Amino acid sequence: MGSKGAVPRGTELDAGCRVRARKKTSRSWTKSKEVKFLSALADSCNVKFAARKASVSTSAIYERRKNNASFRAGWKTALREGYAKLELILLERALVGTETVIERRDGSIERMREYSNSLAVALLRLHRDEVAEPDIEPTSPQGVNEREVDEIRQRIARKLERLNRQLTGKSRGGADGEQGADS
């Protein structure tokens, strides 16, 4: 059993502190149920719907999320994916519109595209901060001052030299005269 008092996975202690195997039930968690739940959650962003798809109770799902870190991380990832899908659908509706078929009394049919201004405004509001400032990658050469980069490299090199001297015992108590200049 590995460490003293540890109970192997899939077992439990009965009232007499004897180890016995737990029976798998239809309510037991399986990897398959977890995959079904997380997949349905990513597709719908709806916990009750996803629970039904995985044949698990919502209370069991929330309990698992509370006690299982990897499941919690999978849950967050599934919701991120779900909301990204939802945002793409809404963005498409705002840009392309939705088709409406109008049937007249004379039997003729007309197709129209409708665009939701409120949907477009909501999407713009979500991304206002992102598009307000230009996106400059930290590794981009734009805006990088070469002199500052050289100064930083020199400071790092001096610190590394000082650390190396301290490790080899050559420098005692700041005899190199640079102490405090780069700290």
Side-chain angles (χ1 to χ4, degrees):
M1 271 207 285
S3 65
K4 185 176 180 180
V7 179
R9 211 176 218 181
T11 59
E12 60 186 27
L13 297 174
D14 66 5
C17 293
R18 292 178 303 193
V19 177
R20 63 184 174 94
R22 266 188 254 157
K23 292 181 182 178
K24 294 254 183 199
T25 68
S26 62
R27 295 178 53 174
S28 299
W29 270 99
T30 63
K31 190 66 179 168
S32 172
K33 285 182 179 183
E34 187 171 311
V35 168
K36 283 180 187 175
F37 171 78
L38 293 174
S39 176
L41 185 63
D43 287 341
S44 67
C45 297
N46 185 310
V47 174
K48 283 184 180 182
F49 172 80
R52 278 194 308 271
K53 283 285 198 180
S55 303
V56 201
S57 71
T58 53
S59 60
I61 286 172
Y62 284 111
E63 185 69 23
R64 184 163 181 83
R65 184 180 72 168
K66 184 174 105 180
N67 296 323
N68 187 307
S70 65
F71 182 69
R72 211 171 22 253
W75 181 304
K76 285 181 181 180
T77 301
L79 282 180
R80 263 191 239 109
E81 288 175 18
Y83 282 111
K85 288 176 189 176
L86 181 59
E87 186 177 13
L88 286 173
I89 291 168
L90 292 175
L91 186 58
E92 181 183 23
R93 283 186 191 167
L95 294 173
V96 179
T98 54
E99 187 176 280
T100 305
V101 178
I102 299 171
E103 189 173 341
R104 296 204 169 89
R105 289 183 189 164
D106 64 358
S108 63
I109 294 177
E110 182 180 348
R111 295 180 188 278
M112 296 178 61
R113 287 240 171 246
E114 292 182 344
Y115 298 88
S116 169
N117 288 338
S118 59
L119 175 59
V121 169
L123 287 169
L124 285 173
R125 205 174 284 138
L126 279 173
H127 294 286
R128 182 182 337 177
D129 294 336
E130 263 183 55
V131 296
E133 295 180 24
D135 187 24
I136 298 176
E137 291 292 321
T139 57
S140 168
Q142 296 174 333
V144 174
N145 184 336
E146 287 298 321
R147 194 177 80 222
E148 288 178 13
V149 171
D150 286 338
E151 287 175 11
I152 292 169
R153 283 185 183 136
Q154 289 172 2
R155 287 177 53 199
I156 291 171
R158 285 194 303 263
K159 285 183 181 184
L160 288 173
E161 286 174 20
R162 191 172 58 243
L163 286 171
N164 190 30
R165 284 193 302 263
Q166 287 174 354
L167 288 173
T168 58
K170 292 183 181 177
S171 175
R172 301 276 182 225
D176 58 278
E178 288 183 314
Q179 190 130 12
D182 298 326
S183 300

